[in-house]
Amino acid sequence: MTAAAPLARAAFIPEYTDFEAFRGQSVGLTGARGVLGGILVRRLEQHGVTVAAYPGDVNDEATVAAWFEQQHCSHFLHFAAMVPVGQVEGDPLLAFQTNVIGTFNVCKQLLRTQPHCWFFHCSSSHVYQPTAQATPIAEDSPTNPPTYYGATKLTAERVIDTLLGKLRARYCIGRVFSFTHERQAPSYLVPSLRHRILALPEGATLEIDNPSAVRDIQDADQVIDVVLHLARRNATGT
């Protein structure tokens, strides 16, 4: 028995159903072991779409190059990243290597072996400047990352814009906002709150850090719906 989706579906995000559009092609990706990448692999394979999931470390340039030599993808989606802010702060060198240089390694080999493949890069809302008084962040809001993680993701975006833009490759950058899923690690917001609430003795008070912060949370499956709609249309831009 699978758990129900933790959040209601947003009316403006229709469930993606046109998997026939990807049949007979190969969809490649990094980050298949993560929440978003795992959802994408599962949904594509359930609908008979061929999936090529890179199994290694994007920092291993030789392995990345050898793997891409064996692929022929119509679409490629880059989800691999060092994400938890605490881990990123704890090892800023590895975070930059993974989120920036690793992204460059993927782009370089994709351009070298299959330059006509559509490319999607999973970026983050962490690239935006935080707003005051719960003002919503819009797509065209200023970029000024408040975290080092956000700085690495914005740098990766600039690498993609510069490199793939120069070579006129087809690419799309998606700045994903906060999401949750039953497979998400306990360190993330919703799972951590759930765990802390369940562990509270009856009648106890839950203490919250930074209680004035406002964050919209979406279900991870809906994020993948959006990504699939973008892929189906070969959307470009950020």
Side-chain angles (χ1 to χ4, degrees), residues 9 14 16 22-23 30 35-36 54 63 76 80 87 92 118 127 142 144 180 213 216:
R9 172 171 293 275
Y16 186 84
F22 298 109
R23 292 200 184 100
T30 63
V35 171
L36 295 179
Y54 174 67
T63 301
F76 196 91
Q87 289 185 23
W118 180 84
V127 304
N144 183 20
T180 191
D216 290 322

Short mmCIF file of all heavy atoms in Angstrom, two decimals, residues 9 14 16 22-23 30 35-36 54 63 76 80 87 92 118 127 142 144 180 213 216:
data_model
loop_
_atom_site.label_atom_id
_atom_site.label_comp_id
_atom_site.label_asym_id
_atom_site.label_seq_id
_atom_site.Cartn_x
_atom_site.Cartn_y
_atom_site.Cartn_z
N ARG A 9 -3.17 18.57 -5.22
CA ARG A 9 -2.63 18.98 -6.52
C ARG A 9 -3.02 20.41 -6.84
O ARG A 9 -4.17 20.81 -6.69
CB ARG A 9 -3.14 18.05 -7.62
CG ARG A 9 -2.79 18.52 -9.04
CD ARG A 9 -3.12 17.47 -10.08
NE ARG A 9 -2.25 16.31 -9.92
CZ ARG A 9 -1.03 16.22 -10.45
NH1 ARG A 9 -0.53 17.22 -11.17
NH2 ARG A 9 -0.31 15.13 -10.28
N PRO A 14 -1.49 20.22 -14.52
CA PRO A 14 -2.17 18.97 -14.90
C PRO A 14 -1.22 17.78 -14.82
O PRO A 14 -0.02 17.91 -15.08
CB PRO A 14 -2.59 19.23 -16.35
CG PRO A 14 -1.63 20.26 -16.86
CD PRO A 14 -1.28 21.12 -15.67
N TYR A 16 0.81 14.74 -15.95
CA TYR A 16 1.36 14.45 -17.27
C TYR A 16 0.96 13.03 -17.67
O TYR A 16 1.18 12.07 -16.92
CB TYR A 16 2.88 14.59 -17.29
CG TYR A 16 3.42 14.43 -18.69
CD1 TYR A 16 3.45 15.51 -19.56
CD2 TYR A 16 3.84 13.18 -19.15
CE1 TYR A 16 3.88 15.36 -20.87
CE2 TYR A 16 4.29 13.03 -20.45
CZ TYR A 16 4.31 14.12 -21.31
OH TYR A 16 4.74 13.97 -22.60
N PHE A 22 7.40 9.98 -25.79
CA PHE A 22 8.79 9.61 -25.49
C PHE A 22 9.11 8.18 -25.90
O PHE A 22 10.28 7.78 -25.82
CB PHE A 22 9.06 9.76 -24.00
CG PHE A 22 8.92 11.18 -23.49
CD1 PHE A 22 7.86 11.53 -22.68
CD2 PHE A 22 9.85 12.15 -23.84
CE1 PHE A 22 7.72 12.83 -22.21
CE2 PHE A 22 9.72 13.45 -23.38
CZ PHE A 22 8.65 13.79 -22.56
N ARG A 23 8.12 7.41 -26.32
CA ARG A 23 8.38 6.02 -26.69
C ARG A 23 9.19 5.96 -27.98
O ARG A 23 9.00 6.76 -28.89
CB ARG A 23 7.08 5.25 -26.84
CG ARG A 23 6.36 5.06 -25.50
CD ARG A 23 5.37 3.92 -25.53
NE ARG A 23 4.66 3.83 -24.25
CZ ARG A 23 3.44 4.32 -24.04
NH1 ARG A 23 2.80 4.89 -25.04
NH2 ARG A 23 2.87 4.20 -22.86
N THR A 30 20.79 12.22 -14.74
CA THR A 30 21.63 12.00 -13.57
C THR A 30 20.73 12.13 -12.34
O THR A 30 19.63 12.64 -12.42
CB THR A 30 22.75 13.04 -13.47
OG1 THR A 30 22.16 14.35 -13.29
CG2 THR A 30 23.62 13.04 -14.71
N VAL A 35 15.20 12.00 -4.88
CA VAL A 35 13.74 11.96 -4.87
C VAL A 35 13.18 12.27 -6.26
O VAL A 35 12.40 11.50 -6.82
CB VAL A 35 13.18 12.94 -3.83
CG1 VAL A 35 11.66 13.06 -3.97
CG2 VAL A 35 13.53 12.48 -2.42
N LEU A 36 13.56 13.40 -6.84
CA LEU A 36 13.00 13.80 -8.13
C LEU A 36 13.41 12.84 -9.24
O LEU A 36 12.59 12.40 -10.04
CB LEU A 36 13.40 15.23 -8.48
CG LEU A 36 12.86 16.32 -7.55
CD1 LEU A 36 13.36 17.70 -7.99
CD2 LEU A 36 11.33 16.31 -7.52
N TYR A 54 22.49 7.65 -15.51
CA TYR A 54 23.93 7.63 -15.23
C TYR A 54 24.14 7.15 -13.80
O TYR A 54 23.61 7.74 -12.85
CB TYR A 54 24.53 9.03 -15.42
CG TYR A 54 25.98 9.11 -15.01
CD1 TYR A 54 26.95 8.42 -15.72
CD2 TYR A 54 26.37 9.85 -13.90
CE1 TYR A 54 28.28 8.47 -15.35
CE2 TYR A 54 27.70 9.90 -13.51
CZ TYR A 54 28.65 9.22 -14.24
OH TYR A 54 29.97 9.26 -13.85
N THR A 63 34.69 8.73 -16.32
CA THR A 63 33.54 7.83 -16.31
C THR A 63 32.34 8.47 -17.00
O THR A 63 31.60 7.82 -17.74
CB THR A 63 33.17 7.45 -14.86
OG1 THR A 63 34.30 6.81 -14.26
CG2 THR A 63 31.99 6.50 -14.83
N PHE A 76 17.76 14.83 -22.02
CA PHE A 76 18.63 14.53 -20.88
C PHE A 76 18.34 15.50 -19.75
O PHE A 76 18.30 16.72 -19.95
CB PHE A 76 20.12 14.60 -21.25
CG PHE A 76 20.99 13.92 -20.23
CD1 PHE A 76 21.30 12.58 -20.37
CD2 PHE A 76 21.45 14.60 -19.11
CE1 PHE A 76 22.06 11.93 -19.41
CE2 PHE A 76 22.20 13.96 -18.15
CZ PHE A 76 22.52 12.62 -18.30
N ALA A 80 21.44 15.50 -10.56
CA ALA A 80 22.50 15.23 -9.58
C ALA A 80 23.03 16.53 -8.99
O ALA A 80 23.36 17.47 -9.71
CB ALA A 80 23.63 14.45 -10.23
N GLN A 87 25.18 20.01 4.60
CA GLN A 87 26.28 19.29 3.96
C GLN A 87 27.10 20.22 3.07
O GLN A 87 28.33 20.13 3.02
CB GLN A 87 25.74 18.12 3.14
CG GLN A 87 25.19 16.98 3.96
CD GLN A 87 24.77 15.80 3.09
OE1 GLN A 87 25.25 15.63 1.97
NE2 GLN A 87 23.87 14.98 3.60
N PRO A 92 32.39 22.95 1.40
CA PRO A 92 32.13 23.86 0.28
C PRO A 92 32.91 23.51 -0.98
O PRO A 92 32.44 23.78 -2.09
CB PRO A 92 32.53 25.23 0.83
CG PRO A 92 33.42 24.94 1.99
CD PRO A 92 32.95 23.65 2.56
N TRP A 118 17.92 17.54 -26.17
CA TRP A 118 17.36 18.59 -25.30
C TRP A 118 17.85 18.36 -23.88
O TRP A 118 17.83 17.23 -23.36
CB TRP A 118 15.84 18.52 -25.36
CG TRP A 118 15.13 19.55 -24.50
CD1 TRP A 118 14.84 20.84 -24.83
CD2 TRP A 118 14.58 19.34 -23.19
NE1 TRP A 118 14.16 21.46 -23.80
CE2 TRP A 118 13.99 20.57 -22.78
CE3 TRP A 118 14.54 18.25 -22.32
CZ2 TRP A 118 13.36 20.72 -21.55
CZ3 TRP A 118 13.91 18.40 -21.08
CH2 TRP A 118 13.33 19.63 -20.71
N VAL A 127 18.43 30.37 -5.53
CA VAL A 127 19.20 31.38 -6.27
C VAL A 127 18.61 32.78 -6.08
O VAL A 127 19.27 33.78 -6.36
CB VAL A 127 19.26 31.06 -7.78
CG1 VAL A 127 19.84 29.67 -8.01
CG2 VAL A 127 17.89 31.19 -8.44
N PRO A 142 14.78 39.22 -8.27
CA PRO A 142 16.25 39.33 -8.32
C PRO A 142 16.93 38.06 -7.80
O PRO A 142 16.45 37.41 -6.87
CB PRO A 142 16.55 40.51 -7.39
CG PRO A 142 15.27 41.27 -7.29
CD PRO A 142 14.17 40.27 -7.43
N ASN A 144 19.95 36.65 -5.82
CA ASN A 144 20.97 37.02 -4.84
C ASN A 144 20.95 35.94 -3.76
O ASN A 144 20.32 36.10 -2.73
CB ASN A 144 20.69 38.40 -4.25
CG ASN A 144 21.78 38.85 -3.28
OD1 ASN A 144 22.89 38.34 -3.32
ND2 ASN A 144 21.45 39.79 -2.42
N THR A 180 8.11 18.20 -1.09
CA THR A 180 8.25 17.10 -0.15
C THR A 180 7.73 15.83 -0.79
O THR A 180 7.02 15.86 -1.81
CB THR A 180 7.52 17.39 1.17
OG1 THR A 180 7.90 16.41 2.14
CG2 THR A 180 6.01 17.37 0.98
N ALA A 213 9.16 32.79 8.99
CA ALA A 213 9.40 32.43 7.60
C ALA A 213 8.15 31.80 6.99
O ALA A 213 7.44 31.04 7.64
CB ALA A 213 10.58 31.46 7.50
N ASP A 216 5.94 28.01 0.67
CA ASP A 216 4.97 27.12 0.01
C ASP A 216 5.65 25.79 -0.27
O ASP A 216 6.79 25.75 -0.73
CB ASP A 216 4.50 27.74 -1.30
CG ASP A 216 3.62 28.97 -1.09
OD1 ASP A 216 2.83 28.95 -0.14
OD2 ASP A 216 3.74 29.92 -1.86
#
